[in-house]
Amino acid sequence: MDAPERPTVIATRGVVEHGDQRGRTIGFPTANLPLETDDLLDGVWAGWVDVAGDRHLAAVSIGNRPTFYGTVGYRLLEAHLLDFEGDLYDTEVTVVLWHHLREQIRFDSIDDLVSQLAHDVERCRELATTCPNDLRALRPLHTPVGVATAVAV
Ligand SMILES: Cc1cc2nc3c(=O)[nH]c(=O)nc-3n(C[C@H](O)[C@H](O)[C@H](O)COP(=O)(O)O)c2cc1C
């Protein structure tokens, strides 16, 4: 009999670094992680951020933030943790990406970006309510640092 297929998720691990801190001013603070990988994972994701054993639902964006930097921004992973207040700077976190929501795009205005971020957050909440328990409970065993990659869990 064939072995059951092992689920995979995308995960990465790293230490939260200081960003431009624009996110706070628009109501969506983010924990920023440096990334060293190709662009296959660019986009906006529903994810989890694991901090010291606690799992937080997050809207996660990977890309060069074309709204602010055109095509010349450096690639960054930014996670907006839902219902979380606190300072994660210099803290090691694991980010698990489990549902691709959309591509990063260039918005004509900050207001348009903020409206979309609110929509992304609501979509994450909806998806989390229907996320199967076995997927919700998955903890990646071997999560690389600085590289977002598919990992068997
Ligand atoms: C869920 C989410 C989706 C995002 N989508 C986009 C996007 O489509 N286009 C874009 O230019 N930036 C996008 N961003 C990045 C924001 O522009 C960025 O978080 C904001 O400028 C604050 O960055 P800072 O706190 O590092 O300064 C997204 C960020 C998050 C958290």
Side-chain angles (χ1 to χ4, degrees):
M1 193 171 81
D2 290 342
E5 194 178 320
R6 300 193 72 194
T8 58
V9 293
I10 310 293
T12 188
R13 190 158 56 90
V15 174
V16 175
E17 60 178 23
H18 290 257
D20 298 339
Q21 308 208 353
R22 191 184 300 113
R24 286 179 196 284
T25 66
I26 61 174
F28 293 91
T30 56
N32 296 355
L33 288 191
L35 266 187
E36 299 165 21
T37 186
D38 58 29
D39 60 2
L40 292 176
L41 302 165
D42 277 6
V44 180
W45 299 76
W48 289 300
V49 177
D50 293 339
V51 187
D54 289 333
R55 172 156 280 187
H56 303 273
L57 183 61
V60 184
S61 176
I62 300 178
N64 53 11
R65 297 154 295 156
T67 304
F68 297 98
Y69 301 105
T71 55
V72 298
Y74 69 95
R75 294 180 65 251
L76 192 62
L77 182 155
E78 298 176 283
H80 172 70
L81 281 63
L82 278 59
D83 310 316
F84 178 85
E85 286 182 32
D87 180 355
L88 291 176
Y89 292 132
D90 303 323
T91 305
E92 183 175 289
V93 302
T94 298
V95 181
V96 180
L97 309 170
W98 51 274
H99 187 97
H100 188 264
L101 294 170
R102 64 179 177 88
E103 299 302 324
Q104 251 196 5
I105 57 172
R106 184 182 190 287
F107 291 94
D108 290 335
S109 72
I110 306 270
D111 283 350
D112 289 349
L113 169 68
V114 169
S115 297
Q116 182 61 53
L117 293 185
H119 185 72
D120 293 336
V121 164
E122 282 319 303
R123 189 85 185 95
C124 284
R125 288 194 198 282
E126 283 168 19
L127 288 164
T129 63
T130 56
C131 179
N133 281 339
D134 53 351
L135 180 56
R136 188 190 304 274
L138 290 177
R139 295 291 189 278
L141 298 177
H142 304 291
T143 309
V145 175
V147 178
T149 187
V151 289
V153 286

